[in-house]
Amino acid sequence: VLRLGMREVYRVVLEIVTCAALNAHDGFGLRRVNLWRHSLATAVAAQILARHLTAEDTEIVFTAALLHDIGKALLAKAAGAEYFRLLDYCEERNGISQCLEQEMFRTDHAEAAGRLLRRWKIPERIVTAVAGHHHPLKLPQGKALPSALIYAGNVLAYRLGHGNGLPRYVVEPDAAIVGLIRLEPHELYRYEDEVEEMLRREQDRFR
Ligand SMILES: [Fe+2]
Ligand SMILES: [Fe+2]
């Protein structure tokens, strides 16, 4: 198994997220920053939850969460302005993007990311976590935890203002999924301060 150092992963992510092709489209400057902030917030949150509530390798969880929405950058690269319209449409209606992505691309950003990361020979545990981040309950038992952590991390990221709109699963997280990390949905808020605090420190490192 290829072991990627954190630094290498950050570099790759930054390269993708700041890819010149994406810059060509109007409005992507802002989106790029949003996606990066959202990814970092999700990663920090997932890592904190992992440390408090599970025995998962926190570095794997952090890396997987950092990469979880990288498929959005891929789809943006493929479809440009049309994909941004899709995201705007979802944001205005507080919807989730994957249904519309399925219509437009016959795939969604989680699946697309899974395929890319597998091609890059990213460790399978990370690939599975990213590909399954919308549906942790569909994963085999024993493989669902990192995805559930990303799911919960996503909820916290959105709630702290690092997301687009307020999708339904953020307002009402799925109790069965959050239950995988032995929390009730309403208990997630307990971690908000710690996430914000650590996020501030992480952001300083990338400035
Ligand atoms: Fe997602
Ligand atoms: Fe996300």
Side-chain angles (χ1 to χ4, degrees):
V1 180
L2 175 70
R3 278 216 54 174
L4 276 180
M6 290 304 293
R7 220 170 267 211
E8 179 67 4
V9 172
Y10 285 136
R11 193 188 58 75
V12 172
V13 172
L14 271 175
E15 228 159 66
I16 291 276
V17 176
T18 59
C19 167
L22 299 177
N23 292 332
H25 302 289
D26 286 348
F28 200 78
L30 199 61
R31 289 238 178 254
R32 191 169 40 121
V33 176
N34 283 348
L35 184 57
W36 171 246
R37 275 224 331 260
H38 168 71
S39 303
L40 190 61
T42 305
V44 165
Q47 186 183 38
I48 285 172
L49 295 171
R51 180 157 43 78
H52 285 297
L53 302 163
T54 75
E56 290 293 314
D57 180 325
T58 55
E59 189 167 320
I60 297 246
V61 169
F62 184 87
T63 308
L66 195 62
L67 296 169
H68 82 281
D69 274 341
I70 203 172
K72 288 188 178 176
L74 290 177
L75 299 182
K77 202 173 160 184
E82 223 180 313
Y83 184 63
F84 299 135
R85 273 198 295 277
L86 181 155
L87 292 181
D88 288 340
Y89 182 91
C90 294
E91 182 173 347
E92 282 157 20
R93 286 160 188 77
N94 291 322
I96 49 169
S97 56
Q98 45 277 25
C99 304
L100 288 171
E101 287 170 0
Q102 283 290 355
E103 259 172 49
M104 193 165 164
F105 301 98
R106 291 179 189 285
T107 186
D108 66 31
H109 65 264
E111 279 176 13
R115 274 196 301 275
L116 173 83
L117 297 177
R118 199 161 279 135
R119 224 182 304 135
W120 282 355
K121 307 251 188 298
I122 300 281
E124 189 56 37
R125 205 159 169 77
I126 294 177
V127 176
T128 304
V130 170
H133 78 265
H134 301 139
H135 305 293
L137 295 170
K138 288 190 184 162
L139 294 174
Q141 255 193 354
K143 292 191 172 174
L145 218 43
S147 281
L149 287 161
I150 296 176
Y151 179 96
N154 233 324
V155 170
L156 281 168
Y158 267 91
R159 286 189 185 169
L160 293 171
H162 307 297
N164 298 308
L166 212 55
R168 184 145 162 215
Y169 77 91
V170 173
V171 182
E172 273 178 82
D174 185 313
I177 297 178
V178 179
L180 289 172
I181 54 173
R182 282 173 293 165
L183 279 185
E184 305 268 339
H186 70 87
E187 293 174 305
L188 277 171
Y189 80 90
R190 286 186 196 160
Y191 300 91
E192 285 181 5
D193 289 346
E194 192 177 346
V195 171
E196 263 196 324
E197 165 80 39
M198 187 170 162
L199 183 59
R200 256 195 303 275
R201 265 182 281 141
E202 289 287 343
Q203 275 169 337
D204 287 342
R205 280 173 52 193
F206 291 106
R207 213 157 266 154

